[in-house]
Amino acid sequence: MDKQVIISISREFGSQGHHIANQIAKDMNLKLYDRNILDMMATEKNIKLEYLEKYDERPKNVMLSRRVGKFSNSLEEVFAELQFDFLREKAESGESFIIVGRCGETVFKDHDGLISIFVTGDYEDKLRNVMEHFNLNEKQAMDKMSRHDKSRKRYHNYHSEFKWGDSRYYDLCINSSKLGVEETSQILERYIKLRMDKM
């Protein structure tokens, strides 16, 4: 790939956004960064993986944290900055990649090669996806969806200048329920290739 591209994919829980990111990464031969960042950071910084997982994409606890200047005692905040720095290093190396979540559209907002995407879905489809994937009943799936989206929203809105899911701040927002994973991925790949041609 001649031109560096960084594709940031944010997603509602159950929207299949992660599956779509995987499909695009496979089809376009791009590296995908998601929770695998934790494995890399655990190895690189000699930190227990379980410890990192505890704070991954978690909003900080405002009641138990404090900031003085640039310094914070919030482990959620410190860990978020470690992830952002890890991603910036990847970008500085010239690598092209897809980042799922982790405020990618904010971390790379000034990067010429950024393409930001938000994946949503119809509520009933998302609910069914969560029930099937996690083997949950309807009430359990509803609670899980609500909990995860609320957490993602708080995490994003703390680290970003704009609200999570606000279509004005993404290059493209798409409802994956209308076409499914494969065809949604194809539409996004076409968009990405057209954008790359204009870079």
Side-chain angles (χ1 to χ4, degrees):
M1 191 170 286
D2 296 332
K3 300 170 185 174
Q4 185 185 32
V5 62
I6 297 171
I7 303 163
S8 169
I9 298 182
S10 296
R11 73 284 183 222
E12 291 178 341
F13 195 73
S15 67
Q16 307 258 42
H18 196 273
H19 294 297
I20 289 165
N22 267 318
Q23 188 65 50
I24 295 170
K26 180 182 173 186
D27 293 344
M28 299 188 71
N29 196 27
L30 290 167
K31 286 192 178 177
L32 177 81
Y33 293 116
D34 51 13
R35 287 183 69 85
N36 61 6
I37 290 176
L38 306 183
D39 296 314
M40 297 176 199
M41 290 177 67
T43 302
E44 195 176 287
K45 303 194 179 293
N46 198 25
I47 304 172
K48 286 187 177 179
L49 181 61
E50 301 79 29
Y51 185 73
L52 296 177
E53 288 174 331
K54 183 177 179 182
Y55 299 105
D56 184 40
E57 280 196 295
R58 295 283 190 271
K60 79 170 189 174
N61 187 329
V62 292
M63 302 299 289
L64 299 175
S65 60
R66 175 166 188 237
R67 176 176 273 282
V68 178
K70 295 190 294 184
F71 302 99
S72 172
N73 71 342
S74 164
L75 292 175
E76 294 89 352
E77 193 170 358
V78 169
F79 180 63
E81 289 301 328
L82 282 173
Q83 285 196 68
F84 300 157
D85 287 343
F86 174 90
L87 292 169
R88 289 185 190 106
E89 286 174 16
K90 294 298 178 185
E92 285 167 10
S93 75
E95 180 183 307
S96 290
F97 57 87
I98 297 175
I99 175 66
V100 178
R102 290 154 186 83
C103 298
E105 76 296 315
T106 299
V107 174
F108 298 113
K109 64 181 181 179
D110 297 322
H111 196 287
D112 293 337
L114 174 66
I115 298 173
S116 60
I117 297 164
F118 190 85
V119 182
T120 184
D122 294 342
Y123 186 82
E124 291 303 320
D125 285 336
K126 293 188 296 181
L127 186 62
R128 185 175 61 252
N129 291 336
V130 173
M131 288 172 67
E132 290 174 0
H133 185 75
F134 295 98
N135 194 27
L136 302 174
N137 64 37
E138 185 172 335
K139 174 67 168 62
Q140 291 170 325
M142 287 171 66
D143 290 345
K144 191 172 185 68
M145 281 173 58
S146 175
R147 189 170 61 250
H148 277 267
D149 278 346
K150 183 178 179 181
S151 178
R152 285 176 181 173
K153 188 178 200 178
R154 283 182 56 217
Y155 172 85
H156 179 277
N157 292 353
Y158 179 79
H159 294 287
S160 180
E161 302 161 0
F162 66 91
K163 302 298 183 190
W164 181 75
D166 186 335
S167 61
R168 294 171 297 176
Y169 297 96
Y170 298 91
D171 295 320
L172 186 65
C173 295
I174 193 161
N175 185 330
S176 60
S177 296
K178 306 308 178 188
L179 295 173
V181 171
E182 189 173 335
E183 290 184 83
T184 299
S185 300
Q186 290 171 6
I187 294 289
L188 292 175
E189 287 167 24
R190 176 69 176 144
Y191 177 80
I192 292 164
K193 287 171 184 172
L194 288 169
R195 282 286 305 278
M196 289 175 68
D197 287 344
K198 294 182 180 295
M199 286 178 185

